[in-house]
Amino acid sequence: MEIILSPSPNFDDRKHAVDMLVLHYTGMVTGQAAFDQLRNPEAKVSSHYLLWEDGRVDQMVAEDRRAWHAGVSSWQGDEDLNSRSIGIEIVNGGHDFPQADGTLPPYPAAQIDALIELCHPILAAHDIPQTRIVGHSDIAPLRKQDPGEHFPWVRLARAGIGIWPDTEGADVSGNGLSPGDSSANVRRMQEHLLRIGYGIDLTGTYDERTEAVVRAFQRRWLPERVNGSADTRTLRRIDAIHTLYTAD
Ligand SMILES: [Zn+2]
């Protein structure tokens, strides 16, 4: 694939080897607006790659440098994720720029084909476990919604990029869990989400952070149900992902 070099001044030195891949949407009105922002020294943001709707790719920061895309974030106990990740910004208006009918703007097939083609050599060049391929909303659930519930994670997983469950997970009895609940079951759910990688406190109470993390989990693995409430289907899916993530 052809990659156009379009350097950004917004980078510095890594403090850790690459062991994560972080996917974003740009969330701006046009790809050009994102392109300009990611190269503006005053904006102090960047990513390694910018992927346009038609599959064109700009490289803005060398992979051995630390691009500034993740912000305050955590995954599997790690922070300063910019130091240890490759960041890809995918041109898509996202939640801030929906379509005329209010739905999220779809990712074109040509763009996702190119994303898969871009990710394969990145995963070959670096030691990035499948459990450390994340969306921005996974690592900053209180702040971020990208790449959004309209992002085709299942297609990526079929191409070997990230994990998607092929079973529903263990049966869960009862009515599920809701914001405000306090119980041993809430704590158990929090433990599962923590072991998957989410930054969550084991309070035993379905607090604001827990609700944000459940919503982030749903955006990634139950995109038809992004409401922050853990019904039995959500709990089963959390169980399935927890099992896959802790299998090794
Ligand atoms: Zn982002």
Side-chain angles (χ1 to χ4, degrees):
M1 87 187 305
E2 189 192 358
I3 295 179
I4 303 156
L5 292 178
S6 302
S8 168
N10 301 330
F11 67 88
D12 52 13
D13 290 335
R14 290 190 182 281
K15 300 182 185 78
H16 196 280
V18 172
D19 64 0
M20 290 189 73
L21 176 62
V22 181
L23 302 182
H24 304 259
Y25 66 48
T26 50
M28 297 189 76
V29 62
T30 60
Q32 187 63 45
F35 180 88
D36 293 341
Q37 170 93 344
L38 292 165
R39 300 175 77 223
N40 176 0
E42 288 170 15
K44 295 194 188 317
V45 293
S46 63
S47 62
H48 294 92
Y49 298 99
L50 175 68
L51 173 56
W52 297 75
E53 293 101 324
D54 62 2
R56 275 179 302 142
V57 179
D58 286 290
Q59 180 161 16
M60 300 189 150
V61 175
E63 290 190 4
D64 62 355
R65 299 298 176 132
R66 178 178 178 272
W68 302 342
H69 56 94
V72 176
S73 51
S74 74
W75 191 248
Q76 296 179 346
D78 295 318
E79 295 177 351
D80 185 15
L81 302 186
N82 284 337
S83 264
R84 53 202 309 157
S85 62
I86 300 287
I88 301 175
E89 286 280 358
I90 305 162
V91 173
N92 186 279
H95 297 83
D96 287 336
F97 296 96
Q99 302 187 101
D101 65 0
T103 59
L104 293 166
Y107 289 92
Q111 191 179 32
I112 298 304
D113 290 344
L115 177 62
I116 290 168
E117 201 181 335
L118 176 63
C119 286
H120 280 151
I122 292 171
L123 296 176
H126 307 280
D127 192 8
I128 301 175
Q130 289 288 332
T131 63
R132 294 173 70 81
I133 297 169
V134 297
H136 201 185
S137 54
D138 293 315
I139 60 174
L142 284 160
R143 296 190 300 120
K144 295 294 178 180
Q145 300 179 278
D146 62 310
E149 56 272 33
H150 57 312
F151 182 76
W153 284 109
V154 63
R155 234 206 106 198
L156 263 69
R158 280 196 213 108
I161 303 160
I163 289 172
W164 192 266
D166 54 13
T167 63
E168 275 296 316
D171 257 347
V172 175
S173 57
N175 299 317
L177 303 169
S178 304
D181 288 355
S182 283
S183 68
N185 286 340
V186 172
R187 192 186 154 93
R188 181 177 157 78
M189 176 184 77
Q190 290 170 332
E191 284 172 356
H192 283 182
L193 291 165
L194 179 70
R195 283 200 212 110
I196 291 168
Y198 290 98
I200 192 169
D201 302 318
L202 304 180
T203 60
T205 296
Y206 206 126
D207 47 26
E208 189 188 349
R209 173 168 285 272
T210 301
E211 188 176 349
V213 167
V214 168
R215 196 176 279 114
F217 178 92
Q218 291 169 326
R219 259 187 235 295
R220 174 82 186 263
W221 282 295
L222 206 57
E224 63 273 32
R225 185 163 305 181
V226 182
N227 59 13
S229 195
D231 64 351
T232 52
R233 190 154 168 235
T234 301
L235 291 172
R236 276 204 305 277
R237 189 59 60 93
I238 291 171
D239 182 76
I241 296 298
H242 172 256
T243 300
L244 291 169
Y245 264 53
T246 56
D248 300 333

